[in-house]
Amino acid sequence: MHPDIRWQDVDTVLLDMDGTLLDLAFDNYFWQQLVPETYGAARGVSPQEAQALIRQEYSAVQHTLNWYCLDYWSERLGLDICAMTTAQGPRALLREDTVPFLDALKACGKQRILLTNAHPHNLAVKLEHTGLGAHLDLLLSTHTFGYPKEDQRLWQAVRQETGLNPEKTLFIDDSEPILDAAAQFGIRYCLGVTNPDSGLADKHYLRHPSLNDYRRLIPSLTVKELP
């Protein structure tokens, strides 16, 4: 499904960060390779055992705020996840289509709000290495609200905080359950990213329109409406 957005009806664009504005390769490497390797070395267990143990830990808290919480994982795994994140900061990369799209949104007077489940430390490290913050109007980490994007209470809190009108909002994310939560809240346009990780095959969405390059949205965004 391709997006059919009436841009004249959109005031606010909400954007996820990892896999949506930044290449998810950073996070996939960090959580699926580096953390199990570091954990295995610290515990003296084989890479296979470490992978299995870590996978079990991840699945136990998926779609909760703890899944995204560096403090939780530091305590749970006995690793300094914040320090590891800082050390890996240079690996954080913007998608090629991110800045052209964000700049086009600005030129058309749309409000650009980052809405990420990333922990504030993770967010700060990525902003430092990518310069992403310069292309956004507001940056929100769900940790400051106490709920992840999967939770309806988060959407209520974001509306209260920003004054956004769900009927005049576009939301872009690379997680179908999160897009579902946004749609349930009443966000008018929910759009999936098919290529969050530049090193992996495209993913497919069952319930939402999707695309792999935001630059394809720019012509319709910048076209002048006929009176």
Side-chain angles (χ1 to χ4, degrees):
M1 285 192 291
H2 291 298
D4 183 19
I5 299 164
R6 283 173 56 89
W7 285 106
Q8 67 269 34
D9 295 339
V10 174
D11 292 340
T12 303
V13 181
L14 285 178
L15 302 132
D16 170 49
M17 181 170 68
D18 300 314
T20 299
L21 298 178
L22 304 187
D23 192 332
L24 195 62
F26 175 104
D27 296 85
N28 284 339
Y29 164 75
F30 188 91
W31 294 104
Q32 294 173 24
Q33 193 175 327
L34 184 64
V35 167
E37 279 175 7
T38 310
Y39 180 82
R43 286 284 188 283
V45 299
S46 73
Q48 292 79 7
E49 277 180 283
Q51 282 282 1
L53 285 164
I54 295 288
R55 259 201 307 271
Q56 220 171 351
E57 291 286 350
Y58 289 168
S59 63
V61 292
Q62 202 173 6
H63 301 307
T64 72
L65 205 57
N66 278 344
W67 202 94
Y68 306 97
C69 184
L70 304 192
D71 305 318
Y72 171 84
W73 290 116
S74 294
E75 192 178 316
R76 188 79 193 159
L77 303 177
L79 302 173
D80 190 342
I81 299 289
C82 283
M84 289 168 65
T85 300
T86 301
Q88 294 299 316
R91 281 178 170 263
L93 296 172
L94 286 163
R95 291 171 54 99
E96 278 181 21
D97 51 351
T98 291
V99 170
F101 179 52
L102 293 179
D103 288 355
L105 289 173
K106 180 182 182 178
C108 295
K110 310 299 183 191
Q111 186 184 28
R112 305 158 303 169
I113 300 178
L114 183 77
L115 181 61
T116 178
N117 277 337
H119 183 274
H121 178 76
N122 195 346
L123 173 57
V125 168
K126 288 171 177 173
L127 292 175
E128 181 192 338
H129 288 280
T130 63
L132 176 62
H135 303 277
L136 294 158
D137 301 307
L138 183 62
L139 297 96
L140 300 176
S141 164
T142 60
H143 290 255
T144 60
F145 297 101
Y147 308 105
K149 284 182 279 188
E150 290 88 334
D151 192 313
Q152 290 298 302
R153 289 170 293 185
L154 181 275
W155 293 95
Q156 302 281 0
V158 167
R159 176 164 60 182
Q160 211 166 351
E161 173 86 7
T162 64
L164 69 81
N165 178 351
E167 270 292 297
K168 296 194 162 193
T169 298
L170 162 66
F171 173 56
I172 307 177
D173 202 291
D174 64 316
S175 160
E176 188 135 53
I178 289 175
L179 291 166
D180 290 343
Q184 184 186 339
F185 179 68
I187 300 293
R188 180 166 180 184
Y189 295 111
C190 295
L191 182 58
V193 182
T194 59
N195 57 343
D197 182 327
S198 60
L200 298 179
D202 278 14
K203 61 187 285 187
H204 300 282
Y205 292 82
L206 300 175
R207 296 174 296 280
H208 301 280
S210 58
L211 88 172
N212 63 4
D213 192 327
Y214 306 130
R215 288 169 291 207
R216 287 169 38 210
L217 295 173
I218 293 174
S220 63
L221 168 62
T222 52
V223 74
K224 291 284 177 277
E225 288 301 315
L226 294 172

